[in-house]
Amino acid sequence: QVQLVESGGGLVQAGGSLRLSCAASGRTLSNYGMGWFRQAPGKEREFVAAISLSGRLIDYEGSVKGRFTVSRDNPKNTVYLQMISLKPEDTAVYYCAARTGAGTSSVAARYDYWGKGTQVTVNS
């Protein structure tokens, strides 16, 4: 089993930056592909970014491409989501998730483990 804990969320102004972290325990993160998802009030959970086991394959949702950067540090058992040029529509609870298998996936159902989320609020 793997446990995931997100951190780094908070309140920022539009145009600001924030870096989220996802720390894993129980198993080494090098065994898992990782994803970031978010859910805003009244909205469905949506894909944000994904990174493969090795970090060589990366995928982004279109609205965050060019603004968000996902990375991983396997020796530290941590995955990051660097966010710049934040917009009010980025406001949501952000979740990290882990899955087995090669490559990346934007489909939430393909992920096996989830963190409890961290709140990101972007003021206009």
Side-chain angles (χ1 to χ4, degrees):
Q1 306 291 343
V2 58
Q3 294 81 43
L4 305 173
V5 179
E6 305 94 338
S7 63
L11 176 65
V12 298
Q13 299 297 311
S17 301
L18 207 59
R19 187 175 76 160
L20 306 183
S21 298
C22 177
S25 62
R27 302 289 180 91
T28 174
L29 267 193
S30 64
N31 294 321
Y32 301 92
M34 301 297 298
W36 286 97
F37 294 79
R38 65 188 181 187
Q39 188 165 20
K43 303 292 185 181
E44 295 183 355
R45 179 176 52 188
E46 68 172 344
F47 169 74
V48 176
I51 185 167
S52 65
L53 280 71
S54 67
R56 290 192 287 269
L57 296 175
I58 293 173
D59 190 27
Y60 296 101
E61 187 272 326
S63 70
V64 309
K65 195 173 300 180
R67 299 189 298 118
F68 290 11
T69 302
V70 63
S71 62
R72 65 190 303 158
D73 188 338
N74 285 342
K76 293 183 178 179
N77 238 21
T78 303
V79 176
Y80 304 96
L81 185 68
Q82 178 68 54
M83 307 182 292
I84 65 171
S85 301
L86 283 163
K87 304 174 181 179
E89 54 261 42
D90 294 318
T91 294
V93 176
Y94 283 69
Y95 300 90
C96 66
R99 59 177 288 272
T100 59
T104 61
S105 178
S106 62
V107 180
R110 294 179 181 174
Y111 288 80
D112 303 299
Y113 305 101
W114 293 82
K116 294 183 178 180
T118 185
Q119 177 72 48
V120 172
T121 302
V122 184
N123 288 335
S124 61

